[in-house]
Amino acid sequence: MADLTGKLGLIVGVANKRSISWAIAQAAAAAGARIALTYPSERLEENVRELAAKLDNPIVMPCDVTSDQQIADLAATLDREFGGLDFLLHGAAFAPAADLNNPTVQTSREGFRIALDVSVYSLIALSRAVAPLMEKRGGGSILTLTYLGSQRVLPNYNVMGVAKAALEASVRYLASDLGPQNIRVNAISAGPIKTLAAAGISGFSNILQIYRERTPLRRNVDLTEVADAATFLLGPASRAVTGEILMVDAGFHAVGI
Ligand SMILES: NC(=O)c1ccc[n+]([C@@H]2O[C@H](COP(=O)([O-])OP(=O)(O)OC[C@H]3O[C@@H](n4cnc5c(N)ncnc54)[C@H](O)[C@@H]3O)[C@@H](O)[C@H]2O)c1
């Protein structure tokens, strides 16, 4: 297990107990970190507060990642409450249902804008906001969550595949920008897991079945496996790793057919 004793972390992207970000929050807390969680809207506030109550001394704050003001307020609160930050987990993603399920050639201009804003620009904006807090701690680790649909065509992923390709490119550029401040930027490319976001992808059960049949490990991954890889990338054990997309997918990416 990674050791995050005394670390201060921000986790963006918890919707409910099935969220990958919640699994990472729990694993990071178990490894010794103090955690700040965000909720994007009043609708999800209660969910997030209920989950946060299971953590030791958490901070809970609003943050709709499409709002520059809310991101600035979040950074100011973290500065006041934590006085710095060691890691950021970015697990926010969204695309309108029609643009997710329609053929890519039918993607609307607005659907494209929303998907890229929520799922990609948010990483850039949040990284910029927390970098000064990480500098106060001598550096930090930023981690986001991606999927193989960035590199390969997968059914009903469409505009989100385009967004994930942009997200992964952003990881590399941000890693280059922030490396001199000892801030690392990485992504985990997770295998499919049944979550709220996954429920928006038609035929998801079929994808799970194909993974079970074809991955080298002949199974799917679970939340705790992604969370264990995440605590490695968020903590000092990965201190020389940056600009990396780590596949946590039971090996699916390695096979042809
Ligand atoms: N579930 C999978 O199979 C899978 C696989 C690989 C990667 N991922 C990625 O993991 C990440 C987390 O997704 P998940 O599967 O845990 O689902 P999830 O629905 O639990 O998490 C997505 C989160 O994005 C948040 N979000 C959406 N719009 C937002 C906004 N405007 N401001 C702030 N937050 C916003 C939602 O509130 C939610 O908490 C996503 O980036 C997803 O693409 C998921």
Side-chain angles (χ1 to χ4, degrees):
M1 267 299 275
D3 184 5
L4 299 178
T5 306
K7 301 286 183 194
L8 304 166
L10 169 63
I11 307 265
V12 175
V14 176
N16 57 38
K17 65 177 188 210
R18 279 186 246 285
S19 296
I20 298 174
S21 302
W22 173 238
I24 295 171
Q26 286 176 289
R34 188 171 169 209
I35 301 294
L37 296 181
T38 64
Y39 55 88
S41 61
E42 280 177 19
R43 193 175 58 81
L44 286 171
E45 178 175 357
E46 202 182 320
N47 273 4
V48 175
R49 286 198 183 278
E50 268 175 31
L51 291 171
K54 299 177 194 213
L55 301 175
D56 188 23
N57 201 13
I59 299 180
V60 182
M61 291 162 290
C63 185
D64 175 341
V65 295
T66 63
S67 162
D68 288 332
Q69 187 58 54
Q70 288 194 26
I71 290 174
D73 292 348
L74 172 67
T77 307
L78 287 170
D79 198 12
R80 202 172 52 243
E81 299 285 328
F82 280 176
L85 194 71
D86 296 299
F87 64 82
L88 160 67
L89 184 275
H90 169 270
F94 178 76
D99 295 288
L100 203 51
N101 292 312
N102 283 345
T104 304
V105 70
Q106 304 291 356
T107 306
S108 67
R109 191 180 295 275
E110 184 61 359
F112 186 92
R113 188 194 66 71
I114 292 170
L116 274 282
D117 186 15
V118 176
S119 317
V120 187
Y121 184 73
S122 57
L123 176 68
I124 296 174
L126 282 166
S127 297
R128 187 169 58 240
V130 301
L133 300 175
M134 291 182 167
E135 279 190 75
K136 286 186 173 188
R137 305 274 292 176
S141 175
I142 296 172
L143 179 64
T144 187
L145 299 168
T146 186
Y147 183 55
L148 185 65
S150 60
Q151 301 169 26
R152 314 241 186 108
V153 174
L154 288 152
N156 301 316
Y157 207 58
N158 299 308
V159 71
M160 196 48 91
V162 177
K164 291 302 192 193
L167 181 71
E168 291 174 19
S170 303
V171 164
R172 291 183 283 272
Y173 279 93
L174 289 168
S176 171
D177 286 351
L178 299 175
Q181 287 111 273
N182 194 31
I183 297 171
R184 301 178 293 107
V185 187
N186 294 291
I188 285 177
S189 183
I193 301 176
K194 261 197 176 168
T195 62
L196 188 65
I201 299 165
S202 315
F204 193 76
S205 305
N206 193 35
I207 294 174
L208 289 175
Q209 180 58 32
I210 290 169
Y211 269 69
R212 263 193 294 276
E213 288 163 9
R214 299 197 196 159
T215 59
L217 296 179
R218 299 290 189 277
R219 63 177 180 82
N220 280 292
V221 300
D222 70 25
L223 288 167
T224 63
E225 292 169 328
V226 177
D228 283 350
T231 53
F232 162 70
L233 286 172
L234 291 174
S238 61
R239 60 198 171 277
V241 181
T242 194
E244 180 67 7
I245 315 294
L246 177 65
M247 310 302 296
V248 182
D249 67 347
F252 186 79
H253 68 284
V255 293
I257 45 170

